Amino acid sequence: MTSTVPAPVVRTADGHALQAVLLDMDGTLVDTEGFWWEIEAQIFLELGHRLDEAWRDIVVGGPMSRSASFLIEATGAAIGLAELSVLLNERFEARIAEQVPLMPGAERLLSELARHNVPTALVSASHRRVIDRVLLTLGRDRFHLTVAGDEVPRTKPHPDPYLFAASSLGAHPSRCAVIEDTATGVAAAEAAGCRVVAVPSVGLIEPAPGRTVVRSLEDVDLAFLRSLITPLN
């Protein structure tokens, strides 16, 4: 993968400046951020260590390698990164095997984007095996592209996943609206040059230039996303 984007910036066929919508998964479309913390806490308790609730904001939203490494170092648990990663993925898959709860407004927003054929990508730090499981609920056909954390050399908070998604969809990052729920994801999207809508799930995210913070996806629709992208002259 190369972190390059197409040079031309053009209007879409329907005349709108918005070229693509890129969405995070955990905590943004599906209510699973709490699942990860519960599983991490359970595994470390079995290893004889109780996680500090303050660590939750540190591990949320990032790649598993980062969060798992932090917890191993913080607790001193006798487990390797590879072994812990397998345990986390296996238990998460088991946790969502029957049903994945959607975030409020997710179903409506995805349906609207699909109905208007807006180029849409799912961009997650979760591994492919987890994304494929969640797509059984979200609907694979609603996304033109899905990007997993174990498919890019550097995942969030690096901009690579969003640069790759934009390039693959033939969109310029500045004409992409990204929806994220964590500071890590917001940092990745902003580093890529995208316009960000933050829907905080864990931890506080403040408004900033190029960033809009909303209460939930119920406050987001296609008209709102289009309004964030400056029309081209």
Side-chain angles (χ1 to χ4, degrees), residues 83-126:
E83 182 183 359
L84 178 57
S85 296
V86 170
L87 278 176
L88 288 168
N89 275 320
E90 286 180 346
R91 295 204 187 179
F92 186 80
E93 287 183 67
R95 183 75 167 80
I96 64 174
E98 295 184 4
Q99 183 181 13
V100 183
L102 299 183
M103 296 296 287
E107 173 69 27
R108 175 198 50 75
L109 178 59
L110 290 176
S111 295
E112 183 180 17
L113 294 175
R115 188 167 62 251
H116 290 271
N117 199 31
V118 177
T120 305
L122 183 69
V123 183
S124 175
S126 290

Side-chain angles (χ1 to χ4, degrees), residues 121-201:
L122 183 69
V123 183
S124 175
S126 290
H127 289 188
R128 169 56 58 185
R129 57 189 286 185
V130 170
I131 288 179
D132 285 343
R133 174 80 67 170
V134 175
L135 284 172
L136 296 176
T137 296
L138 290 177
R140 188 181 300 273
D141 59 344
R142 286 173 160 171
F143 302 96
H144 296 77
L145 173 74
T146 61
V147 181
D150 56 344
E151 294 174 340
V152 290
R154 302 186 307 172
T155 189
K156 305 172 187 178
H158 298 287
D160 304 39
Y162 283 115
L163 289 172
F164 177 70
S167 178
S168 298
L169 294 176
H172 194 283
S174 66
R175 303 297 170 186
C176 294
V178 169
I179 305 179
E180 274 280 0
D181 73 303
T182 66
T184 298
V186 167
E190 291 182 343
C194 302
R195 182 63 194 258
V196 178
V197 178
V199 192
S201 64

Side-chain angles (χ1 to χ4, degrees), residues 40-51:
E40 289 161 346
Q42 179 186 26
I43 290 174
F44 277 91
L45 191 60
E46 293 168 4
L47 294 170
H49 301 273
R50 188 176 298 277
L51 299 187

Side-chain angles (χ1 to χ4, degrees), residues 6-27:
V9 181
V10 298
R11 285 184 185 272
T12 53
D14 57 7
H16 294 283
L18 176 69
Q19 292 181 335
V21 177
L22 316 177
L23 304 105
D24 174 54
M25 187 177 76
D26 293 298

